[in-house]
Each structure stands twice: as C-alpha cells, then as structure tokens.
Amino acid sequence: MASVIVDKYYISETFDENRNVSFTFKKAKEEVSGHFANFIDAVNEFINVSEKSENVTHVWFHRDGKFRGSVNLEKAKIIANRVVEDKVENKDAIAYIEKENLVDKPAPKTAKSQKAEKMEEKAKLDLPKIVFGIEKIYAQAIFDAILAERASKRLATHKVKSRGEVSGTGKKPWAQKHTGNARAGSLRSPIFVGGGRAFGPTTERNYELKINKKARKNALFSALTMLANANSVLVREYQLETISTRALLVELNKDNLINLNNVLIVSSDEKVFRSARNLPNVHTTKVTSLSIEELVAADVLVISEADIKYLEGMAK
C-alpha cells in the first residue's frame, strides 16, 4: 500500500513597527512565499495551492508564536466562509477560529504524567504488595534510617595530640617544693603552652547511630511503596556486552529515562556499574545495599524480577 504524502503549510501572524498585523504564508522547510494584509487572503492562497496539489495538504495556524490548530482543505474553506460571514477583524481572526473550534488540535493529555504512562507500559509484571504496596508509610522510620546511613559514612578524621604525643622533654621543670610555684611534673601537661590537649577528639570515635532491624525494614518498604505509588518503578534488567557508557545510554533512551535527574539502577552486573560511572544522573547499587536516601531521592527505580523476589524474601 502506497504511503500518503502530506504537504504542510503555515499561516502566521506578523507585526510591523506600528503593531499592524499581517499574515505570512509558507510551505514547511521552505522560504516564505507570500505576505498578506488580510487573513482571508492567506487562507484563500492555501485553498488555491491545495486544489492544484496532487498531495494531501494541511495548514498550521500560529499566533503569538504558538501553535493554535491545523485544518485540511475542506475545513479551510469552512473557515474562509465563516470569517467573511461574521466579519472578523484580522487581529482577531486566528483567535476566532480557535475559539469557535474550527481547527483541529491534539487530544489533551490525561492526568497521568507521561513518565507514569511509560513506567506502566514497561512494567511486565504486577509489583508485589508486600514490598511495593504496604498499607502505612513509616515517615519517622525513613528519617531515622537516613540519619543512620549518613552517620555510618562519617569518618573520625579530626584529631589532636594528647600529652603523651606532643614533643618535649620529660624532665620535671622545677623542684616539687620550696619554689613558690605550683607543683608540676612535665611541660607537656595541658596547663602549659605547647602541651597536649586534654580530652581532645581522637580517631577512635564512633559516629554510628543504632536503628532497629524492624525499623529499617519498614523504612525500606515505605520508600519502595512511595516509588510504586508514583509509578516510578521499572521492572527491567540491563545487560551489556561490554563496559560502555554509550551502550547504557542507548538502553536508558529506549525507556525514556535519559533526561531524568536521578535514575537508580539495582543490578549485580559489573559492566552496568562501570558503564554508569561517568553519568551524573545515574546511580547503581546492589539489592543487598539499597540505601533509603537513594530510594527517596530517585526519580525512577530500575530493578529486575530476580531482585524483586529477593525483596519478597526479606518481607516474609
């Protein structure tokens, strides 16, 4: 079956220095072929060109630099008659045909976001409610888990020297008695300039915060449920032949994830890990190392069926 060729034309408003309106007529990907002082003249020009053309024709109307609708030849004739009958002024012509629904427009989008629709299309199986659909969201557990995760990453890198570590003599500075001074046994004491610090910070300090296993489990499943409620869970396993950032970008582009700010991929494949190192908006982790903070921050979670089954085992 032969394909239908459609010729696309444009009628657009233009203004001069005195804000007088006129209309340009042009074919797509070509230079402007006509300037018309009246809107009806531009429409008639499209009608004349269309009647001589062997292809299907459509004209797109633009006002204030925005698309206002399009029509075919038959509807263009209806527009020409209505504009003349109602004596529509040039400055209101395109607004008039838009208001009277004389032009065709794309169907309005539903309440669901485009990302949510694509996530639903890509998901190949129903997410288990025990993991991605718990009845209560434990906000406090999420908060506590994030604090515990951050604390566990904190290193005790700050330190001062004690009296046993500063340099200096070990000789008693003066006699114990009969000097009029307070007794002193070492110049390395904290009371002297250059002496050691008393009770200063050391590298032995531990900043970790305790969180109960049940609380962390509630936080994990709460974060996963929030992602599922936002239709931001994609059941997919990326498999790359070689370590290649380009190859991973191609896979992400297939799922329309390439422009998201924070993509979290759950995988055990070293090729995926190393391919994502140069992508600032892509983070990788193993299912055994899921971070509550990364889950909360993620725009989309990419996880395989095998890893979902592992999470189901944790929930039981």
Side-chain angles (χ1 to χ4, degrees):
M1 182 177 179
S3 59
V4 178
I5 300 176
V6 179
D7 290 338
K8 185 176 179 179
Y9 295 87
Y10 297 96
I11 294 178
S12 306
E13 282 185 344
T14 58
F15 296 90
D16 59 15
E17 296 179 354
N18 298 322
R19 296 298 296 172
N20 295 319
V21 66
S22 61
F23 301 89
T24 59
F25 177 78
K26 68 182 290 287
K27 188 177 181 180
K29 299 181 181 180
E30 294 184 5
E31 298 293 331
V32 174
S33 59
H35 292 273
F36 301 91
N38 297 316
F39 174 74
I40 190 64
D41 294 336
V43 175
N44 287 333
E45 177 68 12
F46 168 72
I47 294 174
N48 294 334
V49 171
S50 300
E51 289 177 342
K52 297 176 183 178
S53 176
E54 297 179 355
N55 302 328
V56 177
T57 58
H58 275 74
V59 61
W60 269 248
F61 296 100
H62 286 262
R63 182 172 184 264
D64 297 330
K66 297 181 180 179
F67 170 71
R68 301 296 182 174
S70 64
V71 296
N72 56 17
L73 173 59
E74 299 302 323
K75 290 188 176 182
K77 294 179 179 179
I78 296 174
I79 287 176
N81 293 331
R82 289 284 298 274
V83 170
V84 173
E85 291 175 359
D86 296 343
K87 298 180 181 179
V88 180
E89 296 183 6
N90 287 323
K91 62 184 180 67
D92 302 323
I94 295 181
Y96 168 81
I97 63 176
E98 183 182 11
K99 181 180 178 181
E100 296 295 323
N101 295 322
L102 299 178
V103 292
D104 300 326
K105 286 188 174 183
K109 293 183 179 180
T110 60
K112 289 184 178 180
S113 66
Q114 186 178 6
K115 183 185 77 170
E117 292 175 355
K118 289 172 181 176
M119 290 300 101
E120 290 178 350
E121 292 175 1
K122 295 294 181 180
K124 301 301 182 182
L125 61 102
D126 293 332
L127 298 174
K129 297 296 183 182
I130 194 173
V131 176
F132 294 94
I134 62 176
E135 296 180 357
K136 179 182 178 181
I137 302 297
Y138 296 88
Q140 186 61 47
I142 292 176
F143 177 78
D144 293 341
I146 291 176
L147 287 184
E149 287 176 356
R150 291 181 177 180
S152 65
K153 298 176 183 177
R154 186 174 178 182
L155 300 178
T157 56
H158 39 284
K159 182 187 181 304
V160 294
K161 291 183 179 181
S162 67
R163 65 183 295 168
E165 296 170 319
V166 295
S167 62
T169 180
K171 181 182 177 182
K172 187 176 177 67
W174 50 76
Q176 181 80 351
K177 296 177 182 290
H178 310 298
T179 63
N181 295 324
R183 55 192 175 185
S186 172
L187 290 176
R188 294 186 295 179
S189 170
I191 66 175
F192 291 107
V193 175
R197 172 81 176 272
F199 309 112
T202 68
T203 56
E204 297 178 358
R205 183 167 181 176
N206 183 5
Y207 290 98
E208 291 187 4
L209 298 177
K210 181 180 181 299
I211 181 172
N212 294 334
K213 291 182 179 179
K214 185 175 181 181
R216 192 187 185 285
K217 185 181 291 186
N218 289 337
L220 174 63
F221 296 145
S222 294
L224 292 171
T225 298
M226 289 192 297
L227 283 168
N229 291 342
N231 294 314
S232 299
V233 179
L234 173 60
V235 181
R236 173 77 186 276
E237 183 175 4
Y238 292 126
Q239 294 181 342
L240 305 178
E241 295 181 358
T242 58
I243 300 171
S244 171
T245 301
R246 176 181 289 274
L248 181 58
L249 284 173
V250 170
E251 295 298 321
L252 292 172
N253 191 42
K254 291 179 182 178
D255 298 321
N256 297 288
L257 305 179
I258 195 171
N259 293 321
L260 295 181
N261 292 329
N262 196 329
V263 179
L264 180 60
I265 301 176
V266 180
S267 175
S268 299
D269 190 348
E270 183 183 0
K271 296 176 183 177
V272 175
F273 270 75
R274 298 180 68 178
S275 298
R277 286 185 301 181
N278 292 332
L279 300 177
N281 63 326
V282 179
H283 305 278
T284 53
T285 183
K286 295 183 179 180
V287 69
T288 55
S289 305
L290 280 175
S291 167
I292 309 300
E293 187 170 11
E294 288 183 342
L295 289 173
V296 172
D299 291 326
V300 61
L301 172 67
V302 182
I303 188 170
S304 66
E305 295 182 23
D307 290 334
I308 290 177
K309 291 180 179 178
Y310 176 86
L311 292 174
E312 280 188 274
M314 289 179 56
K316 293 179 180 178

